[in-house]
Amino acid sequence: MKRTHHCNELRRAHVNQIVTLSGWVHSRRDLGGLIFIDIRDREGRTQTVFDPSDWAKERFEQAATLRSECVVSITGKVRQRPEGTNNVKIPTGEVEVMAQSFEVLNLAEVLPFPVDDPEVASKVNEELRLKYRYLDLRRPEMARNLRLRSKVANTTRSYMEEQGFLEVETPILFKSTPEGAREFLVPNRREPGTVYALPQSPQQFKQMLMVAGVERYYQLARCFRDEDQRADRQLEFTQLDLEMSFIDREDIYALIEGLLQRVWKIALNLEVPTPFKRISFEEALNRYGIDKPDTRFAMELVDFTDDFRASTFKVFSGAIANGGVVKALNAKGLAGATQGQLETMTEYAKSFGAKGLAYIKVENGEWKSPIVKFFNATEKQALIAKLKIEEGDLILFAADQWLTACEILGKIRLYCADVLKGQGKLTLPGDQFNFLWVIEFPLLGFDREQNRWYSSHHPFTAPVTEDIPLLKTDPKKVRGQHYDIVVNGVELGGGSIRIHQPAVQKTIFEELLALPPDVVQARFGYMLEAFRYGAPPHGGIALGFDRMMAILCGTPSIRDVIAFPKTAKGTCLMTDSPSAIEPKQLRDLHLELKVKQPPPASAPEA
RNA sequence: GGGGGCGUAGCUCAAUUGGUUAGAGCGCUGCCCUGUCACGGCAGAGGUUACGGGUUCGAGCCCCGCCGCUCCCGCCA
């Protein structure tokens, strides 16, 4: 019996046809005389009916033994359901299949957790879901995520092809470039002591493709970073990686806006307006305290540096005298914050090196605060005017160096938003997507501990042309031609116009990043050489594909959009990897273990 | 590397200040049931309270350790 239709296909138009459905027993309702078996496949489910008058007693009893998740083929005649028995919850609910014959293709033991009940299944311990991922993926919600991912990948590829991009695969076995994220290393059997590294991104290869004259490259590229994980970070993840020649930033903006517009239309049937808003790094920090602002709610930071420059409150005026700033935000309606909530916010402030967190609770027409007694009338008036203070508000202050003060309040702003959401005072519509380009990042940051400059993005980012003279005089002021695409507070991706002149690249490596020439030669020599043979101006971007899918699927964790994700500790609970290896494998690789090797999985526990 | 949360039946969860035989719903097994779709009814089985110690007359509960999952900070050019 070969299947003739899938389980989401039959409608009234199919009535009287003989059909065969194949799939899993989703549920069985045995009424004694009459048995209903819902058969489920990837597409949906269909009700089949076993009527004893159609069957030999023995065969009918066999049908009664079919239980959840057995794999079956059922053949029968499609008919309209009797009056009043339609199931409006499923698309096939107007018809049913009167079973005439069935074949059990495989039995199923009782599952470790239910896959047929979304309410229960969505709450199942993730450890169990990961161990039995093949069952977890049977759940319609997870299957939907996989399907949407495939659809979006497909949409992305068509769009990129339409735009003249070539999909090119780059190596997974790459070389170690120990700047940046920790890498996964692969020992080389052929030359003891040497290793490959798995790429953190195809960055260098895609730039070489530009030198190669590919002009427009893209790839759904697997990337690897051996860092600790998060809900939105896995050891291996997928990026839409692309690079273009003979373009400027505007071309990238337009390309990505077009792509996201199409993806959102196809995945969610939503019209995304373009062009996206743009905000400079500096403005993002000033207003939201973070370089990936969630602009769906305001609660913006307000500057009070000028108002408190001469204040008798030394915590504020002192910070300003030290070259710092005073900033505040108004958490509207949060005057009732608990002691614990205030402590959490104070901890945020302290984690940035602040001594504490100044606040004002506006309750019963009164300003309740340990610091308000230090404020004079003018200062109070400035607060009321700029923060629009009203009954029930909670005002929070940061007085510190500019970046630190912004970041403290940025954290607190997000925390307050979470609290307000929990109290139902802030509601963000599920179909609101605030896309935003964050631009004009500083090209370099300064590491006080190591007393050296580092690239805030990566060392291939081109400076803004008019800032190039500042490279040697005031590196801190140099802006990079870098851009991040942000949606609802999530960094969806980032990229830049790259350096294509060997001299500029060399200056960055050797003079600013202070890499010794021999190190530069060993790591990047081939790039510098390549740039000498006619490198076109070029730039690109990479979008976190898993993150984008998580947003589209409405889930907080990228694990829900990756078929076989790893745990926070980097293990695969289904296959039990990583695992110990045989001594012979170590010998082949010329490796010796300094730690006691864990016992092979088959050995009994010691 | 650090901080928080969780771990009780196959699953989801209860269990008063530390006090009787650790309960419920779902699932499972058996019987009954011809229009169910969260089918219904009756009966039943199912527990090393993650694991190892400790305190106590007595520990699911308190303490120490350890394992696992998870969230966050650091980290992620």
Side-chain angles (χ1 to χ4, degrees):
Chain A
M1 293 198 292
K2 193 166 179 183
R3 86 174 8 158
T4 59
H5 296 75
H6 64 66
C7 292
N8 200 19
E9 199 169 353
L10 300 178
R11 299 291 185 273
R12 284 166 72 163
H14 295 90
V15 166
N16 288 329
Q17 290 185 24
I18 304 292
V19 301
T20 297
L21 301 176
S22 293
W24 289 260
V25 173
H26 187 73
S27 66
R28 183 194 64 198
R29 294 174 297 281
D30 184 346
L31 273 56
L34 202 57
I35 305 170
F36 297 97
I37 289 177
D38 286 358
I39 180 167
R40 183 196 74 238
D41 65 14
R42 201 183 75 181
E43 307 297 325
R45 61 188 160 106
T46 301
Q47 173 167 283
T48 65
V49 191
F50 290 69
D51 187 317
S53 57
D54 299 338
W55 296 81
K57 184 163 183 284
E58 196 176 310
R59 191 66 176 147
F60 186 77
E61 280 170 2
Q62 279 174 11
T65 65
L66 286 173
R67 68 175 167 200
S68 283
E69 301 304 314
C70 288
V71 187
V72 293
S73 271
I74 298 176
T75 299
K77 187 187 262 189
V78 182
R79 74 170 194 191
Q80 196 171 335
R81 292 195 186 192
E83 184 77 27
T85 62
N86 285 4
N87 184 352
V88 295
K89 293 179 192 165
I90 56 174
T92 59
E94 287 190 19
V95 296
E96 60 193 6
V97 173
M98 289 302 294
Q100 295 169 348
S101 64
F102 71 96
E103 185 180 357
V104 178
L105 301 172
N106 215 341
L107 295 171
E109 292 181 17
V110 177
L111 265 45
F113 61 90
V115 301
D116 60 340
D117 182 342
E119 294 259 328
V120 176
S122 65
K123 287 164 74 181
V124 170
N125 187 352
E126 190 160 5
E127 193 174 351
L128 204 62
R129 290 176 50 203
L130 290 173
K131 182 173 179 187
Y132 299 99
R133 191 60 161 182
Y134 46 88
L135 299 180
D136 193 38
L137 293 176
R138 279 188 201 168
R139 295 168 46 213
E141 311 83 73
M142 292 300 286
R144 181 199 69 124
N145 291 357
L146 289 184
R147 295 176 64 131
L148 191 58
R149 185 176 177 124
S150 174
K151 195 171 172 183
V152 170
N154 200 32
T155 301
T156 300
R157 287 199 168 95
S158 342
Y159 179 83
M160 297 308 288
E161 297 284 337
E162 279 168 33
Q163 299 291 325
F165 285 76
L166 302 188
E167 181 170 18
V168 181
E169 292 159 273
T170 55
I172 293 297
L173 293 175
F174 179 38
K175 81 168 186 174
S176 177
T177 56
E179 299 259 326
R182 188 183 298 115
E183 300 164 314
F184 285 97
L185 301 177
V186 181
N188 176 21
R189 169 176 65 86
R190 292 175 179 79
E191 191 174 337
T194 62
V195 296
Y196 301 97
L198 307 186
Q200 302 166 39
S201 90
Q203 181 64 32
Q204 296 183 35
F205 289 107
K206 70 176 176 177
Q207 291 194 244
M208 291 305 99
L209 287 172
M210 294 304 102
V211 181
V214 168
E215 298 202 17
R216 294 185 168 215
Y217 140 90
Y218 82 100
Q219 182 181 193
L220 284 169
R222 193 66 63 87
C223 304
F224 305 85
R225 294 182 188 169
D226 186 8
E227 297 289 351
D228 285 353
Q229 319 213 37
R230 291 286 190 284
D232 62 350
R233 290 186 347 216
Q234 283 271 305
L235 298 181
E236 53 180 304
F237 59 99
T238 303
Q239 289 191 333
L240 167 62
D241 189 54
L242 65 92
E243 197 79 4
M244 310 162 79
S245 294
F246 309 113
I247 51 107
D248 58 27
R249 285 178 278 183
E250 296 296 332
D251 297 294
I252 297 280
Y253 300 158
L255 176 83
I256 296 301
E257 285 166 5
L259 171 70
L260 294 176
Q261 199 166 40
R262 185 179 301 183
V263 165
W264 253 250
K265 176 67 185 170
I266 284 189
L268 301 179
N269 197 27
L270 284 178
E271 310 291 342
V272 172
T274 58
F276 298 164
K277 286 190 176 148
R278 300 176 194 177
I279 187 172
S280 71
F281 171 81
E282 188 180 359
E283 187 184 350
L285 266 294
N286 266 326
R287 292 171 60 191
Y288 302 103
I290 193 167
D291 61 0
K292 46 177 181 177
D294 188 341
T295 58
R296 289 174 299 174
F297 56 94
M299 219 193 298
E300 292 190 20
L301 282 51
V302 178
D303 189 280
F304 286 97
T305 308
D306 287 338
D307 303 283
F308 286 98
R309 194 175 299 281
S311 177
T312 54
F313 185 43
K314 293 299 176 207
V315 174
F316 285 4
S317 55
I320 296 166
N322 275 328
V325 300
V326 172
K327 296 182 83 86
L329 70 77
N330 183 351
K332 287 231 158 272
L334 260 189
T338 64
Q339 199 57 41
Q341 287 164 341
L342 278 172
E343 268 170 35
T344 303
M345 291 187 240
T346 305
E347 285 308 312
Y348 281 135
K350 286 183 174 170
S351 72
F352 284 97
K355 289 199 176 65
L357 179 68
Y359 66 90
I360 301 171
K361 287 178 166 183
V362 184
E363 278 181 310
N364 306 321
E366 236 184 298
W367 286 17
K368 294 179 182 165
S369 163
I371 60 165
V372 79
K373 60 187 176 217
F374 299 108
F375 296 167
N376 65 32
T378 318
E379 288 162 350
K380 286 183 191 170
Q381 204 49 52
L383 291 172
I384 292 170
K386 288 197 194 173
L387 289 167
K388 301 185 172 59
I389 297 178
E390 294 174 321
E391 173 69 19
D393 290 354
L394 173 67
I395 313 299
L396 299 146
F397 294 91
D400 215 308
Q401 295 300 304
W402 174 76
L403 186 60
T404 309
C406 291
E407 287 181 331
I408 289 171
L409 290 182
K411 278 269 186 202
I412 288 174
R413 175 177 176 269
L414 291 176
Y415 176 75
C416 288
D418 275 343
V419 173
L420 288 168
K421 275 185 234 167
Q423 295 178 352
K425 291 177 184 166
L426 176 65
T427 311
L428 303 175
D431 60 353
Q432 185 184 352
F433 295 94
N434 286 14
F435 289 94
L436 193 63
W437 288 107
V438 181
I439 57 176
E440 290 171 9
F441 285 77
L443 184 70
L444 300 158
F446 193 77
D447 185 330
R448 279 186 210 289
E449 282 178 20
Q450 296 190 42
N451 192 37
R452 56 182 284 243
W453 295 96
Y454 61 91
S455 299
S456 48
H457 182 43
H458 61 52
F460 315 114
T461 301
V464 169
T465 315
E466 67 238 44
D467 291 353
I468 289 181
L470 295 171
L471 274 175
K472 305 208 174 178
T473 56
D474 194 357
K476 195 176 171 182
K477 286 230 170 74
V478 178
R479 292 164 299 170
Q481 293 199 50
H482 172 64
Y483 31 80
D484 273 359
I485 178 74
V486 170
V487 59
N488 296 355
V490 176
E491 181 193 332
L492 203 52
S496 61
I497 302 299
R498 326 295 183 188
I499 298 166
H500 66 282
Q501 310 96 321
V504 177
Q505 185 69 74
K506 204 161 187 277
T507 303
I508 298 278
F509 280 144
E510 294 183 2
E511 294 182 29
L512 289 160
L513 303 180
L515 294 170
D518 57 321
V519 171
V520 171
Q521 185 55 36
R523 285 188 203 158
F524 306 111
Y526 80 96
M527 284 187 96
L528 293 171
E529 186 181 11
F531 289 166
R532 297 207 302 267
Y533 300 132
H538 61 284
I541 192 168
L543 301 190
F545 194 72
D546 309 291
R547 282 186 192 174
M548 182 167 79
M549 288 316 306
I551 291 167
L552 292 171
C553 292
T555 170
S557 168
I558 63 170
R559 290 188 298 275
D560 286 339
V561 298
I562 295 172
F564 300 103
K566 291 181 174 54
T567 68
K569 285 209 169 154
T571 62
C572 172
L573 296 177
M574 187 178 76
T575 62
D576 197 24
S577 78
S579 55
I581 56 172
E582 298 296 326
K584 176 173 186 318
Q585 295 174 289
L586 282 171
R587 281 199 304 275
D588 282 350
L589 294 169
H590 318 282
L591 293 178
E592 224 172 84
L593 294 181
K594 292 189 82 168
V595 293
K596 200 177 144 198
Q597 192 171 10
S602 54
E605 294 294 321

